[in-house]
Amino acid sequence: MRRIVVFGRTAHASAELRLDDIPSSGGRLDVLLRCLRAGMLVSHGLRRDVVFYLVLGGPERRACALRIEGTSAQFIRPDERSLAATVQKALAAVTDTGLSFKPVKPGLAVSAAGADAVFADLPRGRAYVLDEGGDDIRREPFEGDEATFFVGDHLGFDPDTRARLDALGTRRISVGPQSIHAEDAIAVLSNELDRRAFEVAAPEAQRGQRA
Ligand SMILES: C[S@@+](CC[C@H](N)C(=O)[O-])C[C@H]1O[C@@H](n2cnc3c(N)ncnc32)[C@H](O)[C@@H]1O
C-alpha cells in the first residue's frame, strides 16, 4: 500500500466553504484537492493501492484530517469542485473522536485531531519526505512499496512538522532539481513508482518495447 500525506498549512477545516471560490474560502484547499487528484486518480479510475491523507491545519480552532482509501472509496471525481464537495461533507460530519478517524462514507473518514490522527493511523515502516533538496529518487536505491510519502503544500512544511518528520527517521527524497507544485511532485512520484512496478511485473515486455 502506498500512503501519501499532504500537510495543508492554511487549508480551512471548516464546512463553510464556497464551491464557487475554493481557493479563498478554503484557505488554498484547492492545492490539497489537486494533490489528491494527482496521487489517487488515474484516467477513468482510482488507484486502489493508495491511502491518501489531507491535513487541514488552517486558522480554525481545530485542525482536521481526512483519510481517503482507494480500496473502498467511491465517487471520487477528478474535478476540484466535486472533490471540494466531498471534503465539505466530511468536515460537516466531524466530531471529536480522539485520535481515531470517523467513517463518513465508504473509503472516506475524518478526524478532528489533524496531524496527530494521521501519525497515530500510519503503520510503522519506510517513510519519505518529498523535498527538492533530498536524494534524487532516480539515483539512489529507493523502495516505494509499503511506504509513506509526506508532502508540503504551497508553503512547504512548517518547522514543527519538519521536526516531527525528522524525529520519525524519514528520508528526504527529490523528484527533480526544480521546486515544483506539490501536485506535480506527487504526479512525478506516482510515475516513478508506476515505472518501477511495471518493470518488476513485466521486465521482458519492457525490454522488448525498447529493442
Ligand atoms: C511548492 S513546494 C513548497 C515550496 C516551499 N517554498 C518550500 O520551501 O518548502 C510544495 C511541496 O512539493 C514538494 N516538492 C516540490 N518540488 C519538489 C521536488 N523537486 N522534489 C520533491 N518534492 C518536491 C515538497 O514536498 C514541497 O514541500
Side-chain angles (χ1 to χ4, degrees):
M1 197 59 79
R2 182 182 310 168
R3 292 178 174 78
I4 302 174
V5 184
V6 182
F7 292 92
R9 290 174 68 171
T10 59
H12 297 184
S14 162
E16 284 165 34
L17 175 70
R18 290 197 311 279
L19 295 182
D20 57 356
D21 184 9
I22 300 165
S24 44
S25 70
R28 297 308 314 272
L29 177 67
D30 58 308
V31 174
L32 272 59
L33 301 176
R34 287 195 295 276
C35 287
L36 176 62
R37 192 197 60 74
M40 195 99 218
L41 293 169
V42 289
S43 179
H44 301 294
L46 205 57
R47 290 182 183 273
R48 297 289 171 195
D49 61 344
V50 171
V51 181
F52 210 100
Y53 297 89
L54 297 177
V55 178
L56 288 80
E60 279 72 28
R61 7 178 234 305
R62 56 165 194 227
C64 284
L66 266 69
R67 183 184 64 202
I68 302 102
E69 294 175 286
T71 43
S72 49
Q74 296 165 357
F75 309 116
I76 302 293
R77 307 213 188 283
D79 66 285
E80 278 174 41
R81 196 183 168 92
S82 302
L83 292 174
T86 300
V87 168
Q88 193 175 34
K89 265 182 217 140
L91 291 173
V94 75
T95 50
D96 189 355
T97 49
L99 289 181
S100 52
F101 278 87
K102 173 189 172 190
V104 177
K105 56 185 203 172
L108 177 66
V110 66
S111 171
D116 291 343
V118 175
F119 285 115
D121 202 56
L122 288 171
R124 300 222 172 274
R126 277 191 294 274
Y128 302 94
V129 175
L130 286 196
D131 186 314
E132 36 278 66
D135 299 331
D136 185 338
I137 64 172
R138 290 206 172 169
R139 290 176 198 268
E140 302 287 329
F142 165 76
E143 293 176 76
D145 291 340
E146 291 301 325
T148 301
F149 299 90
F150 296 99
V151 187
D153 67 358
H154 58 298
L155 300 177
F157 298 96
D158 66 79
D160 284 352
T161 303
R162 272 246 179 249
R164 205 164 178 183
L165 294 172
D166 286 345
L168 275 181
T170 54
R171 179 175 158 200
R172 297 186 188 190
I173 53 162
S174 152
V175 297
Q178 192 67 258
S179 178
I180 56 180
H181 291 157
E183 70 262 31
D184 294 336
I186 293 173
V188 177
L189 170 75
S190 302
N191 178 260
E192 291 290 338
L193 296 174
D194 287 346
R195 286 170 175 277
R196 279 154 220 241
F198 276 86
E199 185 82 38
V200 170
E204 294 303 324
Q206 296 263 325
R207 274 198 287 277
Q209 278 172 14
R210 281 190 209 121

